[in-house]
Amino acid sequence: MAAAVLATCAGLATWLGGAAIGGELAPSAALRGAWNILPLVLLSLGAASFAVGWMPRLTMLLGGVPTIGGFLLLVIAESVGAPDWVRDISPFAHLAPVPLTNACMTVTTVMLALATLLTALGVAGYRRRDLRC
């Protein structure tokens, strides 16, 4: 919920900034662009949930891999001219440049499915955590 509120505020701020300088960005386009990152946010939350259930000491590290690691990988791969397969490891490489184009529902669905799977695995691990020897 907090991520959606923050993305909405970012979208509205983007629209407001564009309108202040005479830009023609519609509020709906600015919001769609900001909301396009929400599946990636949920993927990070799923990774953190997985870590809490199975490797609690690595929660911060694993939770940041999709967003922080993915962004750094994309920037470095594009900066050094790495092969496309290296660049494609980053989830950011698959996000559509909304509002210039429509969001890719396949990418959104895959990220949400992975987030759901990681969260479910994390819950299962958390429930068993005290039972391990």
Side-chain angles (χ1 to χ4, degrees):
M1 180 66 160
V5 170
L6 287 173
T8 301
C9 290
L12 292 174
T14 300
W15 166 72
L16 204 58
I21 61 169
E24 297 182 20
L25 181 64
S28 61
L31 287 170
R32 283 187 296 116
W35 290 335
N36 190 44
I37 56 100
L38 287 176
L40 186 52
V41 171
L42 293 174
L43 184 60
S44 279
L45 183 61
S49 298
F50 176 81
V52 165
W54 296 98
M55 299 168 270
R57 292 184 180 175
L58 298 177
T59 299
M60 188 169 65
L61 177 67
L62 291 179
V65 165
T67 49
I68 300 167
F71 180 75
L72 288 174
L73 176 65
L74 180 66
V75 169
I76 292 170
E78 288 182 348
S79 297
V80 300
D84 286 343
W85 68 268
V86 173
R87 180 186 172 276
D88 288 342
I89 294 171
S90 169
F92 284 96
H94 304 285
L95 291 178
V98 176
L100 296 176
T101 62
N102 290 327
C104 179
M105 293 313 295
T106 303
V107 170
T108 299
T109 303
V110 167
M111 283 191 198
L112 292 176
L114 283 172
T116 302
L117 176 65
L118 287 169
T119 301
L121 290 172
V123 168
Y126 186 79
R127 286 186 175 179
R128 296 190 47 168
R129 205 163 78 180
D130 292 335
L131 301 177
R132 286 187 237 157
C133 296

